[in-house]
Amino acid sequence: MGRRIVVSGGGTGIGLATAETFAAEGDRVVILGRRAEVLRAAADKLNAAHGADLVTWTSADLSDPEQTRRAAEFITADGDVDVVVTNAGGNVAPSNDGTLEGIAGQYQRNFEANVLTAVLLTEALLPHLTRPGGRIVHLSSVAALRGPGSYGGTKAALHTYTFELAKRLGPEGVTANAVAPGYVEDTEFFGERGTPEFIAQQIGQTLTGQPGTPVEIAAAIRYLASPEAAYVTGQVLHINGGAQYGR
């Protein structure tokens, strides 16, 4: 029997690729997100490819404590969890209208979408995380180093939360790490902003002249969640083609 894996934001993009990486190895995966129809379609696709009932799903707004609590109860009804991947989030800040109220709204919305979704899910599942051997992997971003501020600041907050968890849980044999991608193609992240010009600019910031792919990010997550990574904790793994150097 495989391990039990939880992936938030698991219906599309990096989260879906991550869920598939684990399901392909026979692990049981629970994917979470806000859109039930997207999660259902993703679970059906993965189960058809890798075996019936390996992937289950539940919808929740993970920035809300009560919805997160219910999601955790659903997840742990069948037993403990081995791996938690907090991938939900994105740059959800509205356009800046120049007012202080508008700026406050930008920071508040991105904090809820990127920090609370990771912290609340992790804390809700901590009592049910395998000890020793449990793994926590947060999804950060190159934006933690380069901005924009309201989004990048929330991803930087995940770095400090990762370090806190690594210190808190290390004596119990649990690791906590983060993966910080740069521009990754084939995701919904940029939406209408993903024009050809914008994409070219993002790729131009790399040293390799190419975008990342969801499968590449999923492979890094899979390593950090593996038994072989027991000596890796409190780390932020940058996967961005060298874009963190500020080209």
Side-chain angles (χ1 to χ4, degrees):
M1 182 68 70
R3 296 184 298 170
R4 298 195 72 231
I5 316 296
V6 176
V7 182
S8 68
T12 62
I14 293 170
L16 178 58
T18 300
E20 181 157 29
T21 293
F22 287 110
E25 296 188 350
D27 293 326
R28 293 172 295 157
V29 185
V30 182
I31 56 175
L32 297 90
R34 292 175 299 164
R35 298 176 294 175
E37 67 281 2
V38 172
L39 295 169
R40 183 182 296 109
D44 288 347
K45 173 185 175 183
L46 296 181
N47 284 329
H50 302 291
D53 301 325
L54 273 179
V55 180
T56 57
W57 62 273
T58 186
S59 59
D61 179 349
L62 297 174
S63 68
D64 177 78
E66 183 54 36
Q67 291 191 48
T68 305
R69 186 178 294 111
R70 289 199 299 267
E73 290 171 352
F74 171 85
I75 293 165
T76 58
D78 292 333
D80 288 341
V81 172
D82 298 295
V83 178
V84 179
V85 180
T86 66
N87 174 70
N91 189 354
V92 301
S95 298
N96 184 0
D97 62 5
T99 67
L100 292 180
E101 290 80 5
I103 294 169
Q106 285 187 318
Y107 277 80
Q108 288 169 349
R109 287 190 61 183
N110 268 336
F111 182 85
E112 291 172 356
N114 296 291
V115 178
L116 287 186
T117 56
V119 173
L120 294 182
L121 179 63
T122 301
E123 297 293 335
L125 293 176
L126 275 185
H128 308 278
L129 194 61
T130 301
R131 291 167 170 80
R135 301 283 185 265
I136 300 167
V137 184
H138 299 304
L139 264 292
S140 178
S141 169
V142 69
L145 301 178
R146 303 189 58 161
S150 69
Y151 173 64
T154 64
K155 291 302 189 180
L158 290 184
H159 294 183
T160 58
Y161 181 53
T162 297
F163 303 148
E164 173 197 328
L165 287 173
K167 183 177 181 179
R168 193 199 320 174
L169 301 174
E172 301 174 37
V174 175
T175 67
N177 295 284
V179 172
Y183 174 71
V184 177
E185 63 183 1
D186 295 331
T187 75
E188 297 180 345
F189 183 86
F190 292 103
E192 295 180 355
R193 291 179 296 156
T195 63
E197 294 77 16
F198 177 86
I199 293 172
Q201 189 245 357
Q202 295 294 308
I203 295 174
Q205 293 176 357
T206 72
L207 306 182
T208 59
Q210 61 187 24
T213 68
V215 170
E216 290 171 333
I217 309 305
I221 293 169
R222 172 66 186 84
Y223 166 69
L224 292 174
S226 70
E228 292 79 13
Y231 200 44
V232 182
T233 196
Q235 302 300 306
V236 179
L237 178 57
H238 292 278
I239 309 176
N240 50 49
Q244 79 266 26
Y245 295 115
R247 181 175 180 182

